[in-house]
Amino acid sequence: MADGILARLNEASAAEEFFTLLGVDYDPKVVNVARLHILRRMGQYLAGEDFAGVADVTVAERCKIVLERAYADFVASSPIDQRVFKVLKDAVAPQPKQAPTFVQIGSLK
């Protein structure tokens, strides 16, 4: 299995390599804007998969479907809309309410 699809994906260093290895068509403009977001979303979708004992051709087909799904998320909307990274999620998270600050009138000069 050293030359299986998972090993080859693990060695990939660019988003374009994932698309090429899995035979997924893509628009370079979309990938240039959302490459890390697409791969992160793909990882989120694959997190629940168990490929132990599964034929490599089946693993490759499942990975292809998941990459197509992740890519489609970012064709339909932007990385800001999808918010796959914590920093983007935190940017819109409701802030905890703080008690109002009181200044005693006698302390003002």
Side-chain angles (χ1 to χ4, degrees):
M1 179 97 170
D3 63 340
I5 190 65
L6 292 178
R8 287 183 284 159
L9 290 172
N10 194 41
E11 293 173 2
S13 61
E16 291 83 354
E17 290 180 63
F18 281 79
F19 285 91
T20 300
L21 284 168
L22 295 171
V24 175
D25 292 329
Y26 65 95
D27 180 346
K29 292 177 187 173
V30 174
V31 173
N32 284 337
V33 171
R35 70 182 58 248
L36 295 176
H37 303 271
I38 293 167
L39 295 180
R40 172 71 176 228
R41 179 60 55 84
M42 180 186 179
Q44 290 172 337
Y45 289 154
L46 285 174
E49 298 283 341
D50 181 10
F51 293 125
V54 178
D56 196 56
V57 68
T58 303
V59 173
E61 184 58 33
R62 184 68 189 131
C63 288
K64 178 180 180 177
I65 290 167
V66 169
L67 179 57
E68 290 170 334
R69 181 178 168 202
Y71 173 72
D73 289 348
F74 294 94
V75 169
S77 64
S78 72
I80 295 295
D81 294 334
Q82 291 293 319
R83 300 188 192 280
V84 295
F85 289 101
K86 183 178 184 324
V87 68
L88 295 176
K89 290 177 186 173
D90 290 349
V92 294
Q95 300 299 318
K97 293 189 179 204
Q98 296 180 1
T101 304
F102 291 104
V103 177
Q104 292 182 351
I105 214 96
S107 68
L108 298 176
K109 294 185 181 182

